[in-house]
Amino acid sequence: MTDNKTKHQNIASALAAVQSEMGKALKQSSNPHFKSKYADLASVVDACLPALNANGIAVVQPMTENEFGRAV
């Protein structure tokens, strides 16, 4: 993997580096209705996050408020 000191010129070059380092999301969850396996969100995060972080890309989930003032 790239070390944390690597600087990229733009987000596109950072994402290209991430793609070359990213692992595969493992299909470890089962869908009994379709009798199939799938990669759940945790598996996708496990496959992507190390490469994203190594290339200076943070994953964030913004919070907003709905019409009742509740966080969503």
Side-chain angles (χ1 to χ4, degrees):
M1 267 194 216
T2 308
D3 69 7
N4 288 330
K5 296 179 183 178
T6 299
K7 301 288 181 187
H8 296 282
Q9 295 295 323
N10 52 48
I11 189 68
S13 65
L15 288 171
V18 167
Q19 285 180 332
S20 71
E21 298 173 14
M22 199 177 298
K24 292 184 178 183
L26 302 177
K27 293 181 179 182
Q28 297 177 327
S29 295
S30 297
N31 181 336
H33 181 72
F34 290 108
K35 297 182 175 106
S36 62
K37 302 283 266 176
Y38 67 96
D40 62 10
L41 181 57
S43 181
V44 172
V45 169
D46 288 346
C48 299
L49 207 54
L52 289 166
N53 290 338
N55 287 282
I57 300 173
V59 176
V60 297
Q61 182 173 353
M63 300 267 304
T64 60
E65 290 183 357
N66 64 15
E67 64 273 14
F68 303 109
R70 296 188 182 123
V72 292

